[in-house]
Amino acid sequence: MEKYKLFDAEYKFASIVWDNEPINSTELVRLCTDKLGWKKSTTYTVLKKLSDRGILQNKDAVVTALVKREDVQKYESNAVVEKSFEGSLPKFLTSFLGERKITEQEAEELKQIIEEAVK
Amino acid sequence: MEKYKLFDAEYKFASIVWDNEPINSTELVRLCTDKLGWKKSTTYTVLKKLSDRGILQNKDAVVTALVKREDVQKYESNAVVEKSFEGSLPKFLTSFLGERKITEQEAEELKQIIEEAVK
DNA sequence: TCCTCAAGTCTATCGCGATAAACCTCGCCT
DNA sequence: AGGCGAGGTTTATCGCGATAGACTTGAGGA
C-alpha cells in the first residue's frame, strides 16, 4: 500500500493528530506551533494534502484520522525490511540485535509475539 | 552513529560497491550506468562524497568499502524502530507480522536469533 | 456598519538530495 | 606532436519536500 507512505514532516504531523483526535483545527494549529514550530499556513497545507490523500479528514473544523497509526507503521516496518534487508525478517532481527543484549523477560515477550504469528 | 546514515541514492550505490569490491573505478562507472542509469560524473560525485565521509575509499582507481554493509544496516534498523516505534522492538515486530502468518520453521529461526541475544 | 477572529486556500520560496555537463590531466600509442 | 581514453574534479541544474506569506470568507459582537 503505497498510500500509507508518509514523509517525515507528514509523519510528525499525523502523530500529533493521532495523539489528540478528534481535535479542532485551530487548536491543532496551536499544537503544531508549539511542538513543531510551524506557522498556521504550514499546518493547513500539510493537513490539506493528507486529507486529499484520504489519510486525515477535516470536517467542520474537526480533524480526525481516517487511517490508523498502526497501518502506517506496518507500511514503514515492511518498507525498511524490504529496502535494507531483502525482505528478510531474520536478517533484520540479527542486525538490530547485534551485540546488544536483552533480558530473559524481553526475550519471552518477543517469542510470544512470534508464536502468535504461527498458524 | 549518525555517520552511517546513507540517503537512498547513496545506499543503492554503496550496495553495488559492497557486492563487487574491490572494483576498478571505471568498471564501477559502467556498472552504475547499467544498474542505476547514472552518468559517469554522477558516479564520481557520489563516490567522492562517500569517500570524504569515510564510508568508501578510492585508491589508485580501486574502490573498496571502509564501512561494512552490516553497520549501515544496523543503523537503519535502529533508526526505524526509533522513529516509528518509540524504540520498542516488540512494537515493531507486532506491526511487521500483523496478520501475516509464518511457518513453524521460520518461527524457530527467529526464536533462535532471539536466544542468541539473551545473556 | 464595521471590526475581529476563526478557518482555510493559493501561490510562492527555500534547502537539499539527485543528477549531470564541462573541463582537466596524464600516460600511451601511432 | 597529436589523438585518445582512463580517471577524476568543479560547478551547475533540477525536482521535490518543507515551510510560509498574503489573501479570502463568513459569523458574531460592539
Side-chain angles (χ1 to χ4, degrees), chain B residues 44-69:
Chain B
Y44 276 110
T45 299
V46 176
L47 172 56
K48 183 158 190 358
K49 208 165 168 201
L50 291 182
S51 298
D52 288 347
R53 287 176 57 195
I55 309 281
L56 301 181
Q57 174 178 357
N58 181 14
K59 188 177 274 183
D60 299 330
V62 174
V63 179
T64 50
L66 296 179
V67 166
K68 288 182 306 219
R69 166 184 250 135

mmCIF file with all atom_site columns, all heavy atoms in Angstrom, chain B residues 44-69:
data_model
loop_
_atom_site.group_PDB
_atom_site.id
_atom_site.type_symbol
_atom_site.label_atom_id
_atom_site.label_alt_id
_atom_site.label_comp_id
_atom_site.label_asym_id
_atom_site.label_entity_id
_atom_site.label_seq_id
_atom_site.pdbx_PDB_ins_code
_atom_site.Cartn_x
_atom_site.Cartn_y
_atom_site.Cartn_z
_atom_site.occupancy
_atom_site.B_iso_or_equiv
_atom_site.pdbx_formal_charge
_atom_site.auth_seq_id
_atom_site.auth_comp_id
_atom_site.auth_asym_id
_atom_site.auth_atom_id
_atom_site.pdbx_PDB_model_num
ATOM 1   N N   . TYR B 1 44 ? 31.024 9.485  -9.934  1.00 0.00 ? 44 TYR B N   1
ATOM 2   C CA  . TYR B 1 44 ? 32.185 10.063 -9.254  1.00 0.00 ? 44 TYR B CA  1
ATOM 3   C C   . TYR B 1 44 ? 31.784 11.047 -8.162  1.00 0.00 ? 44 TYR B C   1
ATOM 4   O O   . TYR B 1 44 ? 32.445 11.138 -7.120  1.00 0.00 ? 44 TYR B O   1
ATOM 5   C CB  . TYR B 1 44 ? 33.114 10.738 -10.265 1.00 0.00 ? 44 TYR B CB  1
ATOM 6   C CG  . TYR B 1 44 ? 34.057 9.765  -10.929 1.00 0.00 ? 44 TYR B CG  1
ATOM 7   C CD1 . TYR B 1 44 ? 33.926 9.433  -12.267 1.00 0.00 ? 44 TYR B CD1 1
ATOM 8   C CD2 . TYR B 1 44 ? 35.081 9.160  -10.199 1.00 0.00 ? 44 TYR B CD2 1
ATOM 9   C CE1 . TYR B 1 44 ? 34.799 8.528  -12.873 1.00 0.00 ? 44 TYR B CE1 1
ATOM 10  C CE2 . TYR B 1 44 ? 35.954 8.259  -10.795 1.00 0.00 ? 44 TYR B CE2 1
ATOM 11  C CZ  . TYR B 1 44 ? 35.807 7.942  -12.133 1.00 0.00 ? 44 TYR B CZ  1
ATOM 12  O OH  . TYR B 1 44 ? 36.665 7.051  -12.721 1.00 0.00 ? 44 TYR B OH  1
ATOM 13  N N   . THR B 1 45 ? 30.725 11.782 -8.392  1.00 0.00 ? 45 THR B N   1
ATOM 14  C CA  . THR B 1 45 ? 30.272 12.746 -7.378  1.00 0.00 ? 45 THR B CA  1
ATOM 15  C C   . THR B 1 45 ? 29.860 12.021 -6.104  1.00 0.00 ? 45 THR B C   1
ATOM 16  O O   . THR B 1 45 ? 30.277 12.385 -4.996  1.00 0.00 ? 45 THR B O   1
ATOM 17  C CB  . THR B 1 45 ? 29.074 13.571 -7.901  1.00 0.00 ? 45 THR B CB  1
ATOM 18  O OG1 . THR B 1 45 ? 29.480 14.295 -9.059  1.00 0.00 ? 45 THR B OG1 1
ATOM 19  C CG2 . THR B 1 45 ? 28.588 14.547 -6.846  1.00 0.00 ? 45 THR B CG2 1
ATOM 20  N N   . VAL B 1 46 ? 29.063 10.998 -6.271  1.00 0.00 ? 46 VAL B N   1
ATOM 21  C CA  . VAL B 1 46 ? 28.594 10.255 -5.100  1.00 0.00 ? 46 VAL B CA  1
ATOM 22  C C   . VAL B 1 46 ? 29.756 9.504  -4.451  1.00 0.00 ? 46 VAL B C   1
ATOM 23  O O   . VAL B 1 46 ? 29.886 9.470  -3.219  1.00 0.00 ? 46 VAL B O   1
ATOM 24  C CB  . VAL B 1 46 ? 27.475 9.276  -5.491  1.00 0.00 ? 46 VAL B CB  1
ATOM 25  C CG1 . VAL B 1 46 ? 27.060 8.427  -4.289  1.00 0.00 ? 46 VAL B CG1 1
ATOM 26  C CG2 . VAL B 1 46 ? 26.275 10.038 -6.026  1.00 0.00 ? 46 VAL B CG2 1
ATOM 27  N N   . LEU B 1 47 ? 30.604 8.950  -5.280  1.00 0.00 ? 47 LEU B N   1
ATOM 28  C CA  . LEU B 1 47 ? 31.764 8.232  -4.752  1.00 0.00 ? 47 LEU B CA  1
ATOM 29  C C   . LEU B 1 47 ? 32.642 9.156  -3.912  1.00 0.00 ? 47 LEU B C   1
ATOM 30  O O   . LEU B 1 47 ? 33.074 8.800  -2.809  1.00 0.00 ? 47 LEU B O   1
ATOM 31  C CB  . LEU B 1 47 ? 32.587 7.658  -5.910  1.00 0.00 ? 47 LEU B CB  1
ATOM 32  C CG  . LEU B 1 47 ? 33.934 7.029  -5.547  1.00 0.00 ? 47 LEU B CG  1
ATOM 33  C CD1 . LEU B 1 47 ? 33.767 5.920  -4.518  1.00 0.00 ? 47 LEU B CD1 1
ATOM 34  C CD2 . LEU B 1 47 ? 34.626 6.493  -6.805  1.00 0.00 ? 47 LEU B CD2 1
ATOM 35  N N   . LYS B 1 48 ? 32.859 10.341 -4.413  1.00 0.00 ? 48 LYS B N   1
ATOM 36  C CA  . LYS B 1 48 ? 33.699 11.290 -3.680  1.00 0.00 ? 48 LYS B CA  1
ATOM 37  C C   . LYS B 1 48 ? 33.083 11.661 -2.332  1.00 0.00 ? 48 LYS B C   1
ATOM 38  O O   . LYS B 1 48 ? 33.756 11.718 -1.305  1.00 0.00 ? 48 LYS B O   1
ATOM 39  C CB  . LYS B 1 48 ? 33.916 12.559 -4.499  1.00 0.00 ? 48 LYS B CB  1
ATOM 40  C CG  . LYS B 1 48 ? 34.839 13.564 -3.822  1.00 0.00 ? 48 LYS B CG  1
ATOM 41  C CD  . LYS B 1 48 ? 35.452 14.511 -4.825  1.00 0.00 ? 48 LYS B CD  1
ATOM 42  C CE  . LYS B 1 48 ? 36.578 15.370 -4.226  1.00 0.00 ? 48 LYS B CE  1
ATOM 43  N NZ  . LYS B 1 48 ? 36.837 15.177 -2.805  1.00 0.00 ? 48 LYS B NZ  1
ATOM 44  N N   . LYS B 1 49 ? 31.793 11.881 -2.367  1.00 0.00 ? 49 LYS B N   1
ATOM 45  C CA  . LYS B 1 49 ? 31.110 12.267 -1.133  1.00 0.00 ? 49 LYS B CA  1
ATOM 46  C C   . LYS B 1 49 ? 31.231 11.163 -0.085  1.00 0.00 ? 49 LYS B C   1
ATOM 47  O O   . LYS B 1 49 ? 31.531 11.429 1.082   1.00 0.00 ? 49 LYS B O   1
ATOM 48  C CB  . LYS B 1 49 ? 29.639 12.545 -1.442  1.00 0.00 ? 49 LYS B CB  1
ATOM 49  C CG  . LYS B 1 49 ? 29.034 13.547 -0.483  1.00 0.00 ? 49 LYS B CG  1
ATOM 50  C CD  . LYS B 1 49 ? 27.716 14.089 -0.994  1.00 0.00 ? 49 LYS B CD  1
ATOM 51  C CE  . LYS B 1 49 ? 26.998 14.843 0.119   1.00 0.00 ? 49 LYS B CE  1
ATOM 52  N NZ  . LYS B 1 49 ? 25.559 14.962 -0.147  1.00 0.00 ? 49 LYS B NZ  1
ATOM 53  N N   . LEU B 1 50 ? 31.006 9.947  -0.505  1.00 0.00 ? 50 LEU B N   1
ATOM 54  C CA  . LEU B 1 50 ? 31.086 8.845  0.451   1.00 0.00 ? 50 LEU B CA  1
ATOM 55  C C   . LEU B 1 50 ? 32.529 8.593  0.886   1.00 0.00 ? 50 LEU B C   1
ATOM 56  O O   . LEU B 1 50 ? 32.774 8.131  2.013   1.00 0.00 ? 50 LEU B O   1
ATOM 57  C CB  . LEU B 1 50 ? 30.460 7.581  -0.151  1.00 0.00 ? 50 LEU B CB  1
ATOM 58  C CG  . LEU B 1 50 ? 28.942 7.648  -0.319  1.00 0.00 ? 50 LEU B CG  1
ATOM 59  C CD1 . LEU B 1 50 ? 28.381 6.341  -0.863  1.00 0.00 ? 50 LEU B CD1 1
ATOM 60  C CD2 . LEU B 1 50 ? 28.256 7.985  1.008   1.00 0.00 ? 50 LEU B CD2 1
ATOM 61  N N   . SER B 1 51 ? 33.461 8.894  0.011   1.00 0.00 ? 51 SER B N   1
ATOM 62  C CA  . SER B 1 51 ? 34.867 8.738  0.386   1.00 0.00 ? 51 SER B CA  1
ATOM 63  C C   . SER B 1 51 ? 35.251 9.799  1.417   1.00 0.00 ? 51 SER B C   1
ATOM 64  O O   . SER B 1 51 ? 35.930 9.513  2.403   1.00 0.00 ? 51 SER B O   1
ATOM 65  C CB  . SER B 1 51 ? 35.763 8.854  -0.845  1.00 0.00 ? 51 SER B CB  1
ATOM 66  O OG  . SER B 1 51 ? 35.453 7.818  -1.762  1.00 0.00 ? 51 SER B OG  1
ATOM 67  N N   . ASP B 1 52 ? 34.799 11.021 1.169   1.00 0.00 ? 52 ASP B N   1
ATOM 68  C CA  . ASP B 1 52 ? 35.080 12.105 2.119   1.00 0.00 ? 52 ASP B CA  1
ATOM 69  C C   . ASP B 1 52 ? 34.519 11.788 3.502   1.00 0.00 ? 52 ASP B C   1
ATOM 70  O O   . ASP B 1 52 ? 35.073 12.190 4.516   1.00 0.00 ? 52 ASP B O   1
ATOM 71  C CB  . ASP B 1 52 ? 34.473 13.423 1.618   1.00 0.00 ? 52 ASP B CB  1
ATOM 72  C CG  . ASP B 1 52 ? 35.241 13.984 0.432   1.00 0.00 ? 52 ASP B CG  1
ATOM 73  O OD1 . ASP B 1 52 ? 36.356 13.500 0.166   1.00 0.00 ? 52 ASP B OD1 1
ATOM 74  O OD2 . ASP B 1 52 ? 34.731 14.900 -0.234  1.00 0.00 ? 52 ASP B OD2 1
ATOM 75  N N   . ARG B 1 53 ? 33.421 11.045 3.500   1.00 0.00 ? 53 ARG B N   1
ATOM 76  C CA  . ARG B 1 53 ? 32.793 10.710 4.788   1.00 0.00 ? 53 ARG B CA  1
ATOM 77  C C   . ARG B 1 53 ? 33.395 9.456  5.413   1.00 0.00 ? 53 ARG B C   1
ATOM 78  O O   . ARG B 1 53 ? 32.962 9.016  6.486   1.00 0.00 ? 53 ARG B O   1
ATOM 79  C CB  . ARG B 1 53 ? 31.285 10.501 4.590   1.00 0.00 ? 53 ARG B CB  1
ATOM 80  C CG  . ARG B 1 53 ? 30.530 11.795 4.354   1.00 0.00 ? 53 ARG B CG  1
ATOM 81  C CD  . ARG B 1 53 ? 29.072 11.522 4.062   1.00 0.00 ? 53 ARG B CD  1
ATOM 82  N NE  . ARG B 1 53 ? 28.410 10.767 5.120   1.00 0.00 ? 53 ARG B NE  1
ATOM 83  C CZ  . ARG B 1 53 ? 27.233 10.163 4.990   1.00 0.00 ? 53 ARG B CZ  1
ATOM 84  N NH1 . ARG B 1 53 ? 26.589 10.241 3.846   1.00 0.00 ? 53 ARG B NH1 1
ATOM 85  N NH2 . ARG B 1 53 ? 26.697 9.506  5.993   1.00 0.00 ? 53 ARG B NH2 1
ATOM 86  N N   . GLY B 1 54 ? 34.333 8.866  4.697   1.00 0.00 ? 54 GLY B N   1
ATOM 87  C CA  . GLY B 1 54 ? 34.971 7.678  5.267   1.00 0.00 ? 54 GLY B CA  1
ATOM 88  C C   . GLY B 1 54 ? 34.163 6.405  5.139   1.00 0.00 ? 54 GLY B C   1
ATOM 89  O O   . GLY B 1 54 ? 34.428 5.415  5.818   1.00 0.00 ? 54 GLY B O   1
ATOM 90  N N   . ILE B 1 55 ? 33.188 6.423  4.265   1.00 0.00 ? 55 ILE B N   1
ATOM 91  C CA  . ILE B 1 55 ? 32.353 5.229  4.065   1.00 0.00 ? 55 ILE B CA  1
ATOM 92  C C   . ILE B 1 55 ? 33.000 4.324  3.022   1.00 0.00 ? 55 ILE B C   1
ATOM 93  O O   . ILE B 1 55 ? 33.063 3.125  3.172   1.00 0.00 ? 55 ILE B O   1
ATOM 94  C CB  . ILE B 1 55 ? 30.942 5.618  3.563   1.00 0.00 ? 55 ILE B CB  1
ATOM 95  C CG1 . ILE B 1 55 ? 30.327 6.700  4.448   1.00 0.00 ? 55 ILE B CG1 1
ATOM 96  C CG2 . ILE B 1 55 ? 30.060 4.389  3.464   1.00 0.00 ? 55 ILE B CG2 1
ATOM 97  C CD1 . ILE B 1 55 ? 29.743 6.210  5.726   1.00 0.00 ? 55 ILE B CD1 1
ATOM 98  N N   . LEU B 1 56 ? 33.467 4.958  1.941   1.00 0.00 ? 56 LEU B N   1
ATOM 99  C CA  . LEU B 1 56 ? 34.135 4.213  0.891   1.00 0.00 ? 56 LEU B CA  1
ATOM 100 C C   . LEU B 1 56 ? 35.560 4.745  0.739   1.00 0.00 ? 56 LEU B C   1
ATOM 101 O O   . LEU B 1 56 ? 35.950 5.698  1.400   1.00 0.00 ? 56 LEU B O   1
ATOM 102 C CB  . LEU B 1 56 ? 33.387 4.366  -0.442  1.00 0.00 ? 56 LEU B CB  1
ATOM 103 C CG  . LEU B 1 56 ? 31.935 3.905  -0.479  1.00 0.00 ? 56 LEU B CG  1
ATOM 104 C CD1 . LEU B 1 56 ? 31.345 4.100  -1.865  1.00 0.00 ? 56 LEU B CD1 1
ATOM 105 C CD2 . LEU B 1 56 ? 31.818 2.437  -0.053  1.00 0.00 ? 56 LEU B CD2 1
ATOM 106 N N   . GLN B 1 57 ? 36.282 4.125  -0.155  1.00 0.00 ? 57 GLN B N   1
ATOM 107 C CA  . GLN B 1 57 ? 37.651 4.554  -0.398  1.00 0.00 ? 57 GLN B CA  1
ATOM 108 C C   . GLN B 1 57 ? 37.979 4.334  -1.863  1.00 0.00 ? 57 GLN B C   1
ATOM 109 O O   . GLN B 1 57 ? 37.598 3.329  -2.450  1.00 0.00 ? 57 GLN B O   1
ATOM 110 C CB  . GLN B 1 57 ? 38.583 3.714  0.478   1.00 0.00 ? 57 GLN B CB  1
ATOM 111 C CG  . GLN B 1 57 ? 40.048 3.967  0.213   1.00 0.00 ? 57 GLN B CG  1
ATOM 112 C CD  . GLN B 1 57 ? 40.918 3.137  1.142   1.00 0.00 ? 57 GLN B CD  1
ATOM 113 O OE1 . GLN B 1 57 ? 40.410 2.420  1.999   1.00 0.00 ? 57 GLN B OE1 1
ATOM 114 N NE2 . GLN B 1 57 ? 42.227 3.216  0.973   1.00 0.00 ? 57 GLN B NE2 1
ATOM 115 N N   . ASN B 1 58 ? 38.672 5.293  -2.452  1.00 0.00 ? 58 ASN B N   1
ATOM 116 C CA  . ASN B 1 58 ? 39.072 5.162  -3.854  1.00 0.00 ? 58 ASN B CA  1
ATOM 117 C C   . ASN B 1 58 ? 40.576 5.418  -3.927  1.00 0.00 ? 58 ASN B C   1
ATOM 118 O O   . ASN B 1 58 ? 41.021 6.551  -3.884  1.00 0.00 ? 58 ASN B O   1
ATOM 119 C CB  . ASN B 1 58 ? 38.322 6.176  -4.719  1.00 0.00 ? 58 ASN B CB  1
ATOM 120 C CG  . ASN B 1 58 ? 38.696 6.047  -6.181  1.00 0.00 ? 58 ASN B CG  1
ATOM 121 O OD1 . ASN B 1 58 ? 39.311 5.064  -6.594  1.00 0.00 ? 58 ASN B OD1 1
ATOM 122 N ND2 . ASN B 1 58 ? 38.318 7.026  -6.982  1.00 0.00 ? 58 ASN B ND2 1
ATOM 123 N N   . LYS B 1 59 ? 41.319 4.357  -4.002  1.00 0.00 ? 59 LYS B N   1
ATOM 124 C CA  . LYS B 1 59 ? 42.777 4.497  -4.008  1.00 0.00 ? 59 LYS B CA  1
ATOM 125 C C   . LYS B 1 59 ? 43.359 3.838  -5.253  1.00 0.00 ? 59 LYS B C   1
ATOM 126 O O   . LYS B 1 59 ? 43.127 2.651  -5.495  1.00 0.00 ? 59 LYS B O   1
ATOM 127 C CB  . LYS B 1 59 ? 43.345 3.844  -2.736  1.00 0.00 ? 59 LYS B CB  1
ATOM 128 C CG  . LYS B 1 59 ? 44.835 4.088  -2.546  1.00 0.00 ? 59 LYS B CG  1
ATOM 129 C CD  . LYS B 1 59 ? 45.329 3.477  -1.224  1.00 0.00 ? 59 LYS B CD  1
ATOM 130 C CE  . LYS B 1 59 ? 45.135 4.437  -0.057  1.00 0.00 ? 59 LYS B CE  1
ATOM 131 N NZ  . LYS B 1 59 ? 45.680 3.894  1.211   1.00 0.00 ? 59 LYS B NZ  1
ATOM 132 N N   . ASP B 1 60 ? 44.102 4.632  -6.028  1.00 0.00 ? 60 ASP B N   1
ATOM 133 C CA  . ASP B 1 60 ? 44.673 4.126  -7.280  1.00 0.00 ? 60 ASP B CA  1
ATOM 134 C C   . ASP B 1 60 ? 43.619 3.464  -8.158  1.00 0.00 ? 60 ASP B C   1
ATOM 135 O O   . ASP B 1 60 ? 43.822 2.377  -8.693  1.00 0.00 ? 60 ASP B O   1
ATOM 136 C CB  . ASP B 1 60 ? 45.794 3.114  -6.986  1.00 0.00 ? 60 ASP B CB  1
ATOM 137 C CG  . ASP B 1 60 ? 46.931 3.746  -6.190  1.00 0.00 ? 60 ASP B CG  1
ATOM 138 O OD1 . ASP B 1 60 ? 47.157 4.962  -6.356  1.00 0.00 ? 60 ASP B OD1 1
ATOM 139 O OD2 . ASP B 1 60 ? 47.557 3.032  -5.385  1.00 0.00 ? 60 ASP B OD2 1
ATOM 140 N N   . ALA B 1 61 ? 42.477 4.132  -8.230  1.00 0.00 ? 61 ALA B N   1
ATOM 141 C CA  . ALA B 1 61 ? 41.392 3.666  -9.091  1.00 0.00 ? 61 ALA B CA  1
ATOM 142 C C   . ALA B 1 61 ? 40.787 2.329  -8.658  1.00 0.00 ? 61 ALA B C   1
ATOM 143 O O   . ALA B 1 61 ? 40.116 1.664  -9.430  1.00 0.00 ? 61 ALA B O   1
ATOM 144 C CB  . ALA B 1 61 ? 41.861 3.579  -10.541 1.00 0.00 ? 61 ALA B CB  1
ATOM 145 N N   . VAL B 1 62 ? 41.014 1.988  -7.412  1.00 0.00 ? 62 VAL B N   1
ATOM 146 C CA  . VAL B 1 62 ? 40.379 0.787  -6.888  1.00 0.00 ? 62 VAL B CA  1
ATOM 147 C C   . VAL B 1 62 ? 39.469 1.196  -5.724  1.00 0.00 ? 62 VAL B C   1
ATOM 148 O O   . VAL B 1 62 ? 39.923 1.807  -4.764  1.00 0.00 ? 62 VAL B O   1
ATOM 149 C CB  . VAL B 1 62 ? 41.423 -0.230 -6.374  1.00 0.00 ? 62 VAL B CB  1
ATOM 150 C CG1 . VAL B 1 62 ? 40.718 -1.402 -5.699  1.00 0.00 ? 62 VAL B CG1 1
ATOM 151 C CG2 . VAL B 1 62 ? 42.288 -0.704 -7.532  1.00 0.00 ? 62 VAL B CG2 1
ATOM 152 N N   . VAL B 1 63 ? 38.207 0.865  -5.880  1.00 0.00 ? 63 VAL B N   1
ATOM 153 C CA  . VAL B 1 63 ? 37.218 1.265  -4.882  1.00 0.00 ? 63 VAL B CA  1
ATOM 154 C C   . VAL B 1 63 ? 36.910 0.122  -3.920  1.00 0.00 ? 63 VAL B C   1
ATOM 155 O O   . VAL B 1 63 ? 36.642 -0.999 -4.347  1.00 0.00 ? 63 VAL B O   1
ATOM 156 C CB  . VAL B 1 63 ? 35.913 1.717  -5.562  1.00 0.00 ? 63 VAL B CB  1
ATOM 157 C CG1 . VAL B 1 63 ? 34.869 2.107  -4.524  1.00 0.00 ? 63 VAL B CG1 1
ATOM 158 C CG2 . VAL B 1 63 ? 36.194 2.883  -6.505  1.00 0.00 ? 63 VAL B CG2 1
ATOM 159 N N   . THR B 1 64 ? 36.957 0.455  -2.645  1.00 0.00 ? 64 THR B N   1
ATOM 160 C CA  . THR B 1 64 ? 36.607 -0.522 -1.615  1.00 0.00 ? 64 THR B CA  1
ATOM 161 C C   . THR B 1 64 ? 35.754 0.169  -0.558  1.00 0.00 ? 64 THR B C   1
ATOM 162 O O   . THR B 1 64 ? 35.660 1.395  -0.530  1.00 0.00 ? 64 THR B O   1
ATOM 163 C CB  . THR B 1 64 ? 37.873 -1.089 -0.925  1.00 0.00 ? 64 THR B CB  1
ATOM 164 O OG1 . THR B 1 64 ? 38.698 -0.002 -0.519  1.00 0.00 ? 64 THR B OG1 1
ATOM 165 C CG2 . THR B 1 64 ? 38.655 -1.995 -1.850  1.00 0.00 ? 64 THR B CG2 1
ATOM 166 N N   . ALA B 1 65 ? 35.145 -0.639 0.307   1.00 0.00 ? 65 ALA B N   1
ATOM 167 C CA  . ALA B 1 65 ? 34.311 -0.080 1.367   1.00 0.00 ? 65 ALA B CA  1
ATOM 168 C C   . ALA B 1 65 ? 35.087 -0.054 2.677   1.00 0.00 ? 65 ALA B C   1
ATOM 169 O O   . ALA B 1 65 ? 35.814 -0.993 2.997   1.00 0.00 ? 65 ALA B O   1
ATOM 170 C CB  . ALA B 1 65 ? 33.045 -0.915 1.512   1.00 0.00 ? 65 ALA B CB  1
ATOM 171 N N   . LEU B 1 66 ? 34.969 1.035  3.397   1.00 0.00 ? 66 LEU B N   1
ATOM 172 C CA  . LEU B 1 66 ? 35.610 1.130  4.714   1.00 0.00 ? 66 LEU B CA  1
ATOM 173 C C   . LEU B 1 66 ? 34.612 0.789  5.812   1.00 0.00 ? 66 LEU B C   1
ATOM 174 O O   . LEU B 1 66 ? 34.981 0.412  6.907   1.00 0.00 ? 66 LEU B O   1
ATOM 175 C CB  . LEU B 1 66 ? 36.159 2.541  4.940   1.00 0.00 ? 66 LEU B CB  1
ATOM 176 C CG  . LEU B 1 66 ? 37.272 2.974  3.980   1.00 0.00 ? 66 LEU B CG  1
ATOM 177 C CD1 . LEU B 1 66 ? 37.720 4.390  4.297   1.00 0.00 ? 66 LEU B CD1 1
ATOM 178 C CD2 . LEU B 1 66 ? 38.446 2.014  4.078   1.00 0.00 ? 66 LEU B CD2 1
ATOM 179 N N   . VAL B 1 67 ? 33.359 0.932  5.466   1.00 0.00 ? 67 VAL B N   1
ATOM 180 C CA  . VAL B 1 67 ? 32.300 0.628  6.422   1.00 0.00 ? 67 VAL B CA  1
ATOM 181 C C   . VAL B 1 67 ? 31.541 -0.588 5.924   1.00 0.00 ? 67 VAL B C   1
ATOM 182 O O   . VAL B 1 67 ? 31.231 -0.688 4.736   1.00 0.00 ? 67 VAL B O   1
ATOM 183 C CB  . VAL B 1 67 ? 31.344 1.828  6.563   1.00 0.00 ? 67 VAL B CB  1
ATOM 184 C CG1 . VAL B 1 67 ? 30.064 1.427  7.260   1.00 0.00 ? 67 VAL B CG1 1
ATOM 185 C CG2 . VAL B 1 67 ? 32.033 2.952  7.324   1.00 0.00 ? 67 VAL B CG2 1
ATOM 186 N N   . LYS B 1 68 ? 31.276 -1.495 6.822   1.00 0.00 ? 68 LYS B N   1
ATOM 187 C CA  . LYS B 1 68 ? 30.596 -2.718 6.422   1.00 0.00 ? 68 LYS B CA  1
ATOM 188 C C   . LYS B 1 68 ? 29.101 -2.488 6.216   1.00 0.00 ? 68 LYS B C   1
ATOM 189 O O   . LYS B 1 68 ? 28.473 -1.694 6.907   1.00 0.00 ? 68 LYS B O   1
ATOM 190 C CB  . LYS B 1 68 ? 30.810 -3.798 7.486   1.00 0.00 ? 68 LYS B CB  1
ATOM 191 C CG  . LYS B 1 68 ? 32.215 -4.341 7.507   1.00 0.00 ? 68 LYS B CG  1
ATOM 192 C CD  . LYS B 1 68 ? 32.347 -5.446 8.550   1.00 0.00 ? 68 LYS B CD  1
ATOM 193 C CE  . LYS B 1 68 ? 31.875 -4.956 9.903   1.00 0.00 ? 68 LYS B CE  1
ATOM 194 N NZ  . LYS B 1 68 ? 32.679 -5.419 11.033  1.00 0.00 ? 68 LYS B NZ  1
ATOM 195 N N   . ARG B 1 69 ? 28.579 -3.220 5.274   1.00 0.00 ? 69 ARG B N   1
ATOM 196 C CA  . ARG B 1 69 ? 27.155 -3.169 4.996   1.00 0.00 ? 69 ARG B CA  1
ATOM 197 C C   . ARG B 1 69 ? 26.361 -3.398 6.291   1.00 0.00 ? 69 ARG B C   1
ATOM 198 O O   . ARG B 1 69 ? 25.368 -2.730 6.553   1.00 0.00 ? 69 ARG B O   1
ATOM 199 C CB  . ARG B 1 69 ? 26.822 -4.255 3.969   1.00 0.00 ? 69 ARG B CB  1
ATOM 200 C CG  . ARG B 1 69 ? 25.371 -4.554 3.804   1.00 0.00 ? 69 ARG B CG  1
ATOM 201 C CD  . ARG B 1 69 ? 25.214 -5.709 2.838   1.00 0.00 ? 69 ARG B CD  1
ATOM 202 N NE  . ARG B 1 69 ? 24.655 -5.294 1.581   1.00 0.00 ? 69 ARG B NE  1
ATOM 203 C CZ  . ARG B 1 69 ? 25.097 -5.670 0.389   1.00 0.00 ? 69 ARG B CZ  1
ATOM 204 N NH1 . ARG B 1 69 ? 26.136 -6.455 0.298   1.00 0.00 ? 69 ARG B NH1 1
ATOM 205 N NH2 . ARG B 1 69 ? 24.502 -5.265 -0.716  1.00 0.00 ? 69 ARG B NH2 1
#
